[in-house]
Amino acid sequence: MEDHRHQAPSTKPLSDARSFGHQDICKILEAHGGIDPMGLDSQTPCFEIDSTEVDMNEATLIGEGAYGEVYLVKWRGTEVAAKTIRSSIASNKTVKDNFLKELGLWQKLRHPNIVQFLGVLKHPDRLIFLTEYLRNGSLYDILRKKGRLDPLTAVAYALDIARGMNYLHQHKPHAIIHRDLTPRNVLQNEAGRLKVTDFGLSKIAQGRDVGYKMTGGTGSYRYMAPEVYRRESYGKSVDVFSFALIVHEMFQGGPSNRGEDAEKLADKRAYEDSRPHLPSIVYPEPIKKLLQDCWHKNPDRRPTFEEIIMHLEIIQEDLEQKAMGICCSCAIL
Ligand SMILES: Nc1ncnc2c1ncn2[C@@H]1O[C@H](COP(=O)(O)OP(=O)(O)OP(=O)(O)O)[C@@H](O)[C@H]1O
């Protein structure tokens, strides 16, 4: 979940050994007084909720994803989401420990555009965690229902996602990379605000967290940055690439090349620089430019989320002024 790319490796061997899962080396370093500054984060236990506080027999199934089923349950009088993790994932001790480590980090995050983590259910043989419940479902569901969004709504949604992602990327002491930013991992609350969820979990579920050279295979092919597909080392800007494809879908009303096999699509993006079309009739010029920058083949040329927010705020103001201008001239007529 953390961006280790730009750290000086020699200053914190225990942190590095732990993040790469080298348990034996950790033991040796600990025995010789090794200190793990990052471990302060990763070793904080998850807030545990007694399983008697949630009646899973009364749970309503809301969906199913790669890790398991998601239920609507009541906890202390409040509706919350319970995410169950498949036993094939949870029964592997290393995978389970890594999962809990990621959840331990998630529980410390607080931002209006990040789904709030609530705690882990204390269960002897199951791994279930609670998050806030977002009644309106995912951006994927919204786009399927509504189709193309009007530009002002699309820009407001893009700003919500960018602010949540900027919070993750500016996390201290290490940036949090989502790695699987897709419309299914963006949820909407009753007030219409979008929140990002499930960051960092994809690499664990697939058991491919191998450190600096992080591999392809994490995340969804349709939104995957070329460097991830090519299994090169990568950094935060992989999320900027995925973000661009999501924004593209909001203006278009769904994924481009819907019928095409997602892996083939990722292959063409990685090796032929193929990108979705941006017809001027659908995409305002500044949005076109922003998307082209965000899905640039050179990861270093992609803007940061902080820069994206600044651009989007200007675009939003411009669109609002245009909308007001149209309304004013209507009033005069
Ligand atoms: N906190 C939540 N509140 C409301 N609905 C949720 C919540 N979390 C997940 N869901 C719903 O449950 C479904 C399954 O979610 P889950 O995160 O397990 O998988 P996914 O994101 O759809 O797919 P994948 O696991 O492949 O990323 C989603 O379609 C989403 O609509």
Side-chain angles (χ1 to χ4, degrees):
M1 188 188 260
E2 294 155 5
D3 184 3
H4 303 287
R5 237 179 19 152
H6 304 298
Q7 294 161 9
S10 58
T11 55
K12 39 175 190 28
L14 182 54
S15 307
D16 290 341
R18 186 159 281 142
S19 67
F20 298 154
H22 298 318
Q23 308 299 344
D24 296 346
I25 296 173
C26 285
K27 278 186 199 144
I28 297 168
L29 291 170
E30 274 164 351
H32 289 82
I35 295 166
D36 178 6
M38 283 161 53
L40 296 177
D41 250 358
S42 58
Q43 291 189 332
T44 308
C46 269
F47 177 63
E48 284 195 354
I49 296 167
D50 200 287
S51 57
T52 57
E53 289 194 47
V54 176
D55 186 356
M56 287 306 289
N57 294 320
E58 292 288 307
T60 311
L61 183 68
I62 31 180
E64 190 173 357
Y67 317 117
E69 288 144 351
V70 184
Y71 295 89
L72 171 61
V73 297
K74 272 240 168 125
W75 174 57
R76 300 185 185 177
T78 306
E79 286 186 325
V80 299
K83 302 199 77 167
T84 64
I85 306 302
R86 268 177 231 298
S87 53
S88 56
I89 298 172
S91 60
N92 179 319
K93 188 178 173 326
T94 314
V95 173
K96 188 176 174 180
D97 286 351
N98 278 335
F99 225 105
L100 289 171
K101 197 171 106 179
E102 296 294 328
L103 295 180
L105 186 51
W106 186 356
Q107 78 179 345
K108 294 186 168 179
L109 307 181
R110 275 155 194 54
H111 188 273
N113 300 112
I114 295 293
V115 171
Q116 188 61 51
F117 176 84
L118 297 169
V120 177
L121 271 195
K122 230 194 289 174
H123 229 287
D125 43 41
R126 293 182 77 184
L127 180 53
I128 302 173
F129 64 94
L130 305 185
T131 71
E132 69 172 305
Y133 171 62
L134 286 103
R135 193 168 293 279
N136 290 4
S138 70
L139 179 60
Y140 175 85
D141 301 327
I142 293 168
L143 292 178
R144 264 208 345 190
K145 229 183 290 164
K146 292 194 181 163
R148 179 177 298 176
L149 303 178
D150 67 88
L152 261 174
T153 307
V155 170
Y157 285 5
L159 266 167
D160 277 344
I161 302 170
R163 288 185 179 128
M165 289 307 304
N166 192 39
Y167 173 79
L168 294 182
H169 282 191
Q170 293 198 0
H171 183 265
K172 305 285 182 298
H174 305 285
I176 296 173
I177 306 178
H178 192 301
R179 293 185 169 85
D180 192 21
L181 185 60
T182 72
R184 286 178 193 270
N185 285 331
V186 175
L187 303 174
Q188 191 183 47
N189 70 6
E190 278 162 288
R193 171 159 276 171
L194 299 191
K195 301 188 182 210
V196 177
T197 190
D198 284 356
F199 26 87
L201 300 182
S202 63
K203 62 172 183 174
I204 300 168
Q206 299 184 35
R208 300 237 178 122
D209 179 24
V210 293
Y212 287 103
K213 276 266 175 194
M214 292 181 272
T215 64
T218 48
S220 308
Y221 283 119
R222 192 168 284 282
Y223 306 90
M224 189 177 279
E227 61 273 24
V228 181
Y229 184 79
R230 292 193 302 256
R231 298 175 177 239
E232 295 166 2
S233 77
Y234 62 76
K236 290 185 285 194
S237 66
V238 295
D239 291 336
V240 173
F241 185 95
S242 307
F243 169 81
L245 291 171
I246 295 175
V247 176
H248 180 267
E249 284 191 13
M250 293 198 290
F251 278 85
Q252 190 173 257
S256 54
N257 314 74
R258 206 185 287 260
E260 202 170 334
D261 175 67
E263 189 171 352
K264 225 166 155 184
L265 210 58
D267 197 278
K268 284 210 292 198
R269 286 189 185 138
Y271 294 108
E272 297 168 30
D273 287 337
S274 148
R275 297 290 184 273
H277 295 300
L278 292 166
S280 299
I281 194 151
V282 179
Y283 296 88
E285 208 48 47
I287 289 287
K288 251 171 112 163
K289 169 85 178 67
L290 184 65
L291 296 189
Q292 282 162 342
D293 288 345
C294 290
W295 64 43
H296 200 285
K297 66 177 180 182
N298 180 350
D300 297 332
R301 297 278 299 276
R302 295 175 201 150
T304 63
F305 276 111
E306 194 167 8
E307 291 163 341
I308 292 170
I309 292 169
M310 283 186 329
H311 284 298
L312 285 172
E313 282 174 346
I314 294 168
I315 295 171
Q316 186 177 48
E317 210 173 301
D318 198 43
L319 286 172
E320 278 169 355
Q321 271 176 5
K322 276 194 186 128
M324 288 229 313
I326 291 167
C327 281
C328 288
S329 52
C330 287
I332 291 163
L333 287 173

